[in-house]
Amino acid sequence: MLENQGVWVFIEVNDGKIEGVSLELLGAGRKLADKLEVPLAGVMLGEGVMPLANEVIYAGADQVYVVDHPVLKDYRTESFMKGVCILAEKYKPEIFLYGATPNGKDLASAVATDLSTGLTADTTMLDVDVEKRLLEASRPAFGGNIMATILCKKHRPQMATVRPKVMKALEPDTGRKGVIIEEELELREEDMRTKVIKIVKDVTKKASLAEAHVIVAGGKGMGDIQGFQLIHELAEVIGASVGGTRDVVEAGWLKHDQQVGQTGETVTPKIYFAIGISGAIQHVEGMKNSELIIAINKDPNAPIFDVATYGIVGDALEIVPKLIKQFKEL
Ligand code: FAD
């Protein structure tokens, strides 16, 4: 008989701030917890993280388990896994969600191994079968050709990592009340086999696509890699990040982490320029929630115009240089 109860969300803290994906997961977790009629809890580990506990309540949690300890100053698989597993074994959550960030993925797989349970990675949809008390975690599979719903029938907790920017965070409600549970765990530096010597920030990279406010994305309509330079130029002039379709990534015009879509990044910028992009469903899946979409395409019937806020029908190779000139003059 399974005795596990409650929905948990791992709250990732970086540079003294809660990661956006953790707040999104509290929004998604709230729905699951309400359906199952169980509490929603945040689990937050780190050093000096206690002041952030209320934010977790405001974002939808009923409880927050906090482990504030010097050994948890920087993320390490070993120390965080130990802390999380002690809590999970003590309180026995039914469902446990993590952001599909580098640290979230690393931690979730280590915790799953230690707790001998399953893990569905990189999910984009979550639901529950209330009667069977099963988490239905769905993700694109076979190169995006199908959506696979993965169930963990025997083991608990049921765990999933969830892509950033796919779930919606709730509006913070500073009137919400919840319980903050401070856990004192015996974690000793001398037991840790890894030491963090130095953290070196990657200053060469622009804001990641998922975090970008403005994205200029190009497609095969730019003709060739030279034509695609116009996308980079426009992005440079307006301080945007560059994205593209799978076809341009496959053509070698862009790196894989710049691909937007079902099998690439999901983005929600304030402005998304879709230039020379047809608007295939697999691309649209990754950008349709952008606040404002400006599409340029020479085909007036291109499906991208169905999701665009503003559409310009014409040759991108003529229009983009004009835009660059105009923006430079501003
Ligand atoms: P095309 O479809 O070739 O479109 C080019 C467009 O440019 C056309 O609309 C054309 O009218 C226009 N054009 C041409 N010349 C000009 C010009 N001079 N000026 C203006 N417009 C011009 N795609 C993704 O993007 N992301 C994904 O994650 C993704 N995942 C996939 C997963 C699977 C399983 C499959 C099967 C496909 C996936 N695809 C994905 C590919 C997707 O189906 C499309 O093939 C791809 O998005 C098309 O890229 P495109 O718009 O650059 O090229």
Side-chain angles (χ1 to χ4, degrees):
M1 206 171 84
L2 296 164
E3 52 179 6
N4 299 58
Q5 267 231 344
V7 176
W8 279 20
V9 171
F10 173 69
I11 307 297
E12 188 172 336
V13 178
N14 286 315
D15 298 327
K17 270 177 47 195
I18 296 176
E19 282 287 319
V21 67
S22 302
L23 302 173
E24 292 159 21
L25 286 187
L26 287 168
R30 184 71 266 162
K31 285 190 200 145
L32 303 180
D34 288 347
K35 278 192 180 178
L36 291 167
E37 298 180 17
V38 294
L40 171 68
V43 180
M44 188 162 59
L45 280 72
E47 188 190 29
V49 290
M50 196 46 155
L52 300 172
N54 272 323
E55 257 183 67
V56 179
I57 305 278
Y58 301 159
D62 302 303
Q63 302 157 347
V64 199
Y65 296 100
V66 183
V67 188
D68 205 321
H69 197 292
V71 169
L72 301 167
K73 178 172 176 283
D74 297 308
Y75 176 78
R76 278 178 290 181
T77 317
E78 208 181 359
S79 53
F80 272 63
M81 180 196 80
K82 197 165 178 204
V84 166
C85 289
I86 292 172
L87 295 182
E89 274 164 357
K90 183 169 169 188
Y91 295 104
K92 302 195 181 306
E94 196 171 6
I95 292 173
F96 199 168
L97 308 173
Y98 306 72
T101 60
N103 288 355
K105 289 184 196 178
D106 180 68
L107 177 65
S109 51
V111 171
T113 309
D114 200 70
L115 298 179
S116 300
T117 189
L119 171 67
T120 307
D122 229 11
T123 52
T124 54
M125 276 182 349
L126 294 173
D127 205 348
V128 273
D129 180 329
V130 177
E131 213 169 295
K132 296 187 180 142
R133 303 197 79 77
L134 278 177
L135 174 69
E136 297 172 335
S138 306
R139 52 157 297 155
F142 295 106
N145 286 309
I146 59 158
M147 282 299 282
T149 299
I150 297 162
L151 309 174
C152 175
K153 289 188 174 169
K154 284 194 186 146
H155 302 282
R156 293 294 179 272
Q158 304 169 81
M159 305 220 311
T161 60
V162 182
R163 275 199 204 184
K165 302 277 178 188
V166 178
M167 305 294 161
K168 279 241 174 317
L170 302 172
E171 271 302 308
D173 174 359
T174 51
R176 261 187 76 82
K177 297 271 177 280
V179 184
I180 298 169
I181 304 150
E182 185 165 16
E183 287 285 334
E184 292 197 4
L185 303 187
E186 256 192 61
L187 298 169
R188 294 185 321 168
E189 188 56 50
E190 50 274 30
D191 293 340
M192 301 298 144
R193 285 167 299 178
T194 47
K195 310 272 172 231
V196 178
I197 297 165
K198 195 174 170 191
I199 294 175
V200 182
K201 290 232 154 93
D202 183 358
V203 289
T204 57
K205 231 170 139 187
K206 284 204 164 180
S208 78
L209 268 191
E211 303 296 329
H213 292 302
V214 182
I215 295 174
V216 179
K220 282 306 277 289
M222 298 314 292
D224 54 22
I225 197 160
Q226 270 79 35
F228 202 83
Q229 279 310 313
L230 289 171
I231 298 292
H232 290 285
E233 259 184 68
L234 177 59
E236 187 68 37
V237 172
I238 60 174
S241 296
V242 173
T245 61
R246 186 168 90 165
D247 290 28
V248 306
V249 170
E250 281 176 353
W253 304 353
L254 272 187
K255 286 191 287 175
H256 182 69
D257 63 1
Q258 290 170 296
Q259 178 185 320
V260 174
Q262 199 179 339
T263 45
E265 291 284 327
T266 301
V267 298
T268 50
K270 291 195 185 313
I271 307 176
Y272 188 90
F273 286 88
I275 307 178
I277 292 177
S278 57
I281 181 72
Q282 295 91 349
H283 183 79
V284 169
E285 265 308 301
M287 47 66 80
K288 64 181 181 207
N289 292 327
S290 305
E291 273 180 43
L292 190 129
I293 299 169
I294 301 167
I296 305 174
N297 197 303
K298 68 177 184 187
D299 174 6
N301 298 316
I304 193 70
F305 290 127
D306 297 340
V307 291
T309 324
Y310 298 109
I312 303 171
V313 179
D315 186 345
L317 301 172
E318 287 173 14
I319 296 166
V320 178
K322 286 183 189 158
L323 283 177
I324 294 169
K325 189 165 173 283
Q326 290 276 323
F327 280 120
K328 275 187 179 164
E329 283 168 11
L330 286 179

